[in-house]
Amino acid sequence: MPASALHDLPLIAARPPRLSTLIEAIAEIEASGIYTNGGPVVRRFESAIVEQLYQGQGDCLAVPSATVGLMLAIRHARRHHAGDLAMMPSFTFAATAHAAIWAGLTPLLIDSDPDDWAASEEAEADALRQYGDRIAVIVPYDTFGTGIDTDRYARLSAETGAAIVVDAAASLGNRDSNGMGFGGSASFATVFSMHATKPFATAEGGLIYSADAGQIAEMRAMSNYGFGNARSALQPGMNAKLPEILGLLALARLATISDIAEHRITLADRYRAVLDGLVTPQKVTMATAIPQFMPVLLPEAMAPHRAAIMADLAAHGIGSGHYFSPHLAQQPYFQQSCIIQPTSIADAIGGRMLSLPISDAMTVEDVDRVARALRMACARQLLPAQPQAPLVHETVLIGGGPAGTAMLISASKQGRLPDLASGLVVIERSARLGGGQLDSYAITSDSTAETFLSAAKDNPHPEIAALVDHPAGREIARHAGRLGVPLARTGGFLDGLGQRIGQVVTAHGGMLLMQHEAIDARQTANGLWQTRVRDAVSGAEKVLLSRHIVLATGGYQAPEDVAAAEVAGMALGQRLGDRLLPSDRFLRLGGIERLRERLAGTPAPRIAIVGASTSALASAALLLKSDLALGAGAVTLLHRQPLRPFYPSAEAALADGFTDFAQDDICPVSGFVYRLAGFRLEARELVLRMLGVGGRAPDPRMRLLHLDGSRDAEAAEMLEASDVVIGALGYRPHGLPFFAADGSRLALSADAPGRPRLTDQQCRIIDAAGEPLSGAFGIGLAAGFVPEGRLGGERSFRGKANGLWLWQNDVGQLIVDQIAANAAAARRAA
């Protein structure tokens, strides 16, 4: 049968009760003269819901829409909470976040569970650790009505003090195995939609249910302007009353909801049977879950072809969609107004999501037709693509975290980002630019709040400059004048910065390959770079050709390097076994909790830290701020390099009583003492205290042991007696396999053992012999660049220089200048 002879199958076919069949009931409303204000029809509907779906328990309130219901319920829930955040999954509809904003809260967007696509328990736990009592309300979403565990949220509320409001837009009519409606055991508010597109379809409307009838009574008053008995406002209020005519439609829908549920569930079951092996369905836990449509995940290989597949279905008269793609964290307004946690699972779900039609009028044969069309559409996308001429990009930037975006920020400050962007491709493994993994650490930054904000403040691009007034920018500003910013608080700002940088890049012709990973790079015979890239969602690979390549892939702590480090005549791993803990694991969120569990039952723990890095001092500060029972001398820092504090001038150092510096320790450009080697902010304060500078009293719980060769026996005894030893021995650069034109592997300096350099003093990636690779640059943690000459820095410095300000200014500019000069030379030669 030709497609033209078939009836169309829209994704959602609204089919609310027909008013034309309710003429007598409409006449009764007209005769009563009551059209709203909680009239008898609406109250009859509310009572029927409680009796038929909730076995007579609790109460409910009919409202004009689910969005209004969420606004009302969230505002009610936050009354006794000082927090300013509403935690919710990013994979939900815009109404959820809008409602929280209208209720006076900032949405905190978190990741999803890969099976049921609701909020991830792990992501919730991480967010609660980071933001604590700032989270006033938790707003889980019963994703597509499959039945989240409301008992777990009751426990979570009891544990944290946060209120709960469940967004259950598509769940009205769903029941558990005992016949109880969804949310029936919950004393908090559950909000449903009765929009025409929902399974429980009227023209429009919403419903708030709670097993606590007292809460509903309070919200009922709020829905009537907050009036008390004397029509005098006693609390926040609004007009949130459902008109009688919509109550009539709701009553009619309730009368048929059981039959509708059975029919739609039959269609969903048929989909699962006929699409088995092709797509991935959502996990369903409710005994009766009425589907609004059929959400499935395409195979990873098909995800890049979703638009073509949907067009193919449309050509056969079949509607489809991709709820919710983009999810909230991918939408411009919410990127500007929310705090966003990592959402890699939501990104992956959204990237593969395909919504297929289910309606009251569809048949099982219609489902079979959709399945056949979908299989054919997917098969057509597997046909070989036509070859295309290679496109040569100017620059491929690998890594969109703090270092990668720092280079782009540097270009933006110079007014050169549009030119750089015109030939730029950014490859980033996650779904967002900006924050990288910084917000996964439990320590404070060694950059000031003012340094973070300087990336946006007075930036030539207005959308970047506006970030200062974004909630995430204000979060950073709260820490101005303090000893750094908690890194767990930086993600929202850095991601917002990345999002705006990305907008500028794409607006000027650049390309963002999000959720892509660089596999390797090969230099061609004519000096170009071939970068092999893999799509993390689909697994598809492609090759990018460019004149320049920039690695901003960060650094990592290799546990084997920590174990191999020799202290007091023996490798740490050999001496300590499982008592050795790499500092990177300890400094992450949850690290102190894991250490507490490890030391449970140890009445007077002894902890040693090995190293003189910022990580070593950060580890010590984290321990001293914790609630661990640390007695006198419980923490020992074993260090080979002297501990040097930063000072803004020699005069400031001398005035503070610090004299342990010489002329070579002073930066000739800035006049700073130990500009590069000196500890800053929180680490600096701890160093000054432990050195007793200016009469400061050392913390009695900590002591220093300088490994100068004469105290090996004491160091060995200390290590043997320690319950845990934290190895804080620096980071090595994340490299990328590089190959020559003949296919042979290029040995890089970064491949050497220990803590090698990735780059030279011009930020050029260097090979094992120290020779630069043409057109290849590196920036970021452990890259190894050290300022010199006009950039300043003390002559005595022998380490690696890292820092956000440095990357966003001098280092970034150095790379941008070379790329621009090379591009100009290439144009002249052409």
Side-chain angles (χ1 to χ4, degrees):
M1 183 181 295
S4 59
L6 298 172
H7 60 281
D8 285 345
L9 295 174
L11 173 61
I12 297 174
R15 202 177 185 185
R18 294 178 178 273
L19 283 171
S20 58
T21 65
L22 302 171
I23 299 300
E24 185 176 337
I26 293 173
E28 290 178 1
I29 292 175
E30 292 174 340
S32 73
I34 301 173
Y35 296 93
T36 185
N37 290 345
V41 175
V42 169
R43 294 307 294 267
R44 192 160 69 246
F45 165 66
E46 292 171 341
S47 297
I49 284 284
V50 173
E51 290 302 320
Q52 294 182 37
L53 296 185
Y54 294 101
Q55 302 172 9
Q57 300 177 27
D59 200 358
C60 66
L61 171 66
V63 290
S65 71
T67 305
V68 170
L70 286 168
M71 292 165 59
L72 187 66
I74 293 171
R75 184 65 182 84
H76 175 267
R78 67 159 299 189
R79 293 172 309 162
H80 305 301
H81 295 266
D84 61 334
L85 302 180
M87 182 173 73
M88 64 187 65
S90 183
F91 191 75
T92 188
F93 188 56
T96 318
H98 281 310
I101 293 169
W102 280 106
L105 299 174
T106 296
L108 171 61
L109 307 181
I110 62 171
D111 209 357
S112 301
D113 181 272
D115 294 326
D116 66 5
W117 312 340
S120 159
E121 290 189 39
E122 182 179 356
E124 287 172 339
D126 286 344
L128 285 163
R129 276 195 295 267
Q130 290 184 52
Y131 293 94
D133 56 11
R134 286 191 60 193
I135 299 175
V137 184
I138 300 172
V139 191
Y141 171 48
D142 185 36
T143 311
F144 304 141
T146 55
I148 59 173
D149 184 358
T150 56
D151 290 342
R152 186 178 73 80
Y153 282 101
R155 294 192 297 271
L156 193 61
S157 178
E159 292 167 2
T160 65
I164 308 291
V165 173
V166 176
D167 177 358
S171 306
L172 187 57
N174 292 358
R175 301 174 188 256
D176 64 20
S177 57
N178 296 316
M180 177 66 79
F182 176 74
S185 63
S187 60
F188 41 76
T190 301
V191 182
F192 303 96
S193 173
M194 298 188 296
H195 188 271
T197 60
K198 294 295 187 291
F200 198 106
T202 64
E204 180 59 282
L207 189 78
I208 308 172
Y209 172 83
S210 174
D212 182 352
Q215 285 198 30
I216 295 298
E218 292 171 355
M219 282 185 269
R220 193 178 299 279
M222 291 176 69
S223 74
N224 187 32
Y225 307 103
F227 285 162
N229 292 332
R231 291 182 62 80
S232 178
L234 303 177
Q235 58 184 313
M238 62 169 71
N239 181 2
K241 292 164 292 193
L242 188 74
E244 287 285 89
I245 196 72
L246 295 182
L248 184 62
L249 289 177
L251 268 171
R253 190 63 167 181
L254 180 60
T256 62
I257 194 64
S258 295
D259 292 339
I260 290 165
E262 182 178 355
H263 177 67
R264 284 176 171 252
I265 291 170
T266 297
L267 299 180
D269 289 343
R270 182 66 176 181
Y271 266 123
R272 292 187 182 90
V274 296
L275 291 178
D276 185 40
L278 176 63
V279 298
T280 302
Q282 183 185 19
K283 179 182 177 182
V284 178
T285 56
M286 287 295 285
T288 301
I290 315 172
Q292 179 183 6
F293 45 76
M294 187 65 191
V296 298
L297 300 186
L298 287 167
E300 291 184 353
M302 291 293 101
H305 308 292
R306 179 172 63 187
I309 291 169
M310 292 174 63
D312 202 330
L313 292 174
H316 288 78
I318 298 169
S320 60
H322 41 77
Y323 292 86
F324 300 103
S325 178
H327 58 78
L328 301 187
Q330 297 170 329
Q331 299 178 32
Y333 176 71
F334 299 121
Q335 289 173 336
Q336 297 168 16
S337 57
C338 302
I339 295 176
I340 301 174
Q341 296 289 88
T343 57
S344 59
I345 302 299
D347 300 337
I349 293 169
R352 296 171 56 193
M353 175 60 62
L354 182 68
S355 308
L356 300 173
I358 286 181
S359 70
D360 297 351
M362 278 181 64
T363 66
V364 168
E365 290 73 23
D366 289 330
V367 171
D368 292 345
R369 172 186 158 195
V370 174
R372 285 193 300 271
L374 179 58
R375 288 187 180 277
M376 288 189 294
C378 289
R380 273 188 279 273
Q381 298 308 313
L382 297 177
L383 296 175
Q386 295 297 317
Q388 296 180 346
L391 171 65
V392 179
H393 304 278
E394 193 64 48
T395 305
V396 167
L397 169 61
I398 302 173
T405 52
M407 187 189 85
L408 305 181
I409 291 165
S410 178
S412 75
K413 289 182 176 181
Q414 305 168 51
R416 298 166 69 181
L417 182 56
D419 288 341
L420 178 67
S422 64
L424 179 69
V425 181
V426 182
I427 302 169
E428 167 56 32
R429 285 192 292 186
S430 73
R432 296 194 309 278
L433 301 179
Q437 297 187 42
L438 273 188
D439 60 358
S440 68
Y441 287 91
I443 57 176
T444 58
S445 67
D446 57 1
S447 297
T448 64
E450 292 81 353
T451 293
F452 279 92
L453 293 173
S454 69
K457 186 178 181 181
D458 300 325
N459 194 285
H461 297 276
E463 59 269 59
I464 298 175
L467 188 62
V468 173
D469 296 319
H470 180 277
R474 294 195 295 270
E475 169 66 22
I476 298 294
R478 292 174 56 192
H479 302 278
R482 302 182 187 177
L483 297 178
V485 184
L487 290 180
R489 298 282 194 263
T490 63
F493 178 78
L494 292 176
D495 285 343
L497 197 61
Q499 182 262 336
R500 286 160 172 74
I501 287 282
Q503 287 179 343
V504 177
V505 168
T506 55
H508 291 87
M511 182 188 305
L512 305 180
L513 292 183
M514 312 308 295
Q515 292 182 274
H516 281 70
E517 183 176 11
I519 303 169
D520 53 43
R522 178 171 176 168
Q523 195 164 36
T524 67
N526 58 352
L528 299 177
W529 288 100
Q530 291 179 327
T531 305
R532 191 158 56 106
V533 179
R534 179 183 295 124
D535 186 324
V537 175
S538 69
E541 294 186 6
K542 60 184 171 183
V543 174
L544 302 175
L545 197 61
S546 64
R547 293 186 176 88
H548 302 94
I549 185 171
V550 181
L551 287 192
T553 45
Y556 68 102
Q557 187 180 56
E560 60 272 18
D561 289 346
V562 177
E566 190 172 298
V567 177
M570 184 182 295
L572 289 175
Q574 181 182 356
R575 182 189 299 276
L576 300 167
D578 61 6
R579 289 186 293 133
L580 179 62
L581 175 63
S583 61
D584 192 72
R585 295 179 187 172
F586 172 62
L587 295 174
R588 300 268 181 170
L589 291 170
I592 196 74
E593 289 80 8
R594 289 188 290 271
L595 181 62
R596 185 185 299 112
E597 293 174 3
R598 187 171 182 168
L599 294 173
T602 305
R606 301 183 68 179
I607 303 169
I609 304 170
V610 179
S613 63
T614 298
S615 297
L617 270 296
S619 298
L622 187 58
L623 284 169
L624 296 176
K625 290 189 296 184
S626 74
D627 58 358
L628 291 174
L630 302 175
V635 179
T636 302
L637 178 68
L638 295 84
H639 60 101
R640 287 197 176 93
Q641 301 299 320
L643 304 178
R644 306 300 195 190
F646 164 84
Y647 279 97
S649 67
E651 293 76 15
L654 295 173
D656 198 31
F658 182 75
T659 60
D660 189 12
F661 63 95
Q663 192 61 40
D664 280 357
D665 302 320
I666 302 174
C667 171
V669 174
S670 64
F672 296 164
V673 177
Y674 294 122
R675 174 190 169 189
L676 302 178
F679 291 103
R680 298 178 182 242
L681 301 177
E682 187 175 60
R684 176 180 183 270
E685 291 304 307
L686 181 56
V687 166
L688 290 173
R689 186 175 180 183
M690 296 312 300
L691 295 178
V693 174
R696 294 173 175 85
D699 191 314
R701 297 171 296 170
M702 181 175 172
R703 69 189 189 99
L704 305 179
L705 181 55
H706 190 191
L707 301 173
D708 58 3
S710 65
R711 306 178 70 179
D712 280 0
E714 185 179 355
E717 182 180 353
M718 173 56 61
L719 293 172
E720 294 290 354
S722 295
D723 298 293
V724 173
V725 176
I726 299 171
L729 298 170
Y731 291 76
R732 59 179 295 120
H734 270 301
L736 184 75
F738 277 73
F739 296 90
D742 62 5
S744 60
R745 178 75 179 263
L746 291 172
L748 302 182
S749 172
D751 298 331
R755 285 171 283 163
R757 296 181 65 172
L758 175 69
T759 68
D760 64 9
Q761 291 304 89
Q762 283 73 51
C763 296
R764 299 175 299 184
I765 295 175
I766 52 179
D767 65 18
E771 294 297 317
L773 304 183
S774 175
F777 302 92
I779 184 174
L781 180 64
F785 172 81
V786 179
E788 62 181 7
R790 68 178 179 82
L791 300 183
E794 66 268 24
R795 286 186 290 271
S796 62
F797 184 68
R798 295 293 180 269
K800 295 178 181 178
N802 294 301
L804 202 58
W805 188 92
L806 196 63
W807 300 339
Q808 292 177 351
N809 292 277
D810 295 342
V811 177
Q813 182 177 348
L814 193 60
I815 297 176
V816 172
D817 286 348
Q818 292 177 84
I819 290 174
N822 292 346
R827 287 193 295 269
R828 289 193 298 269

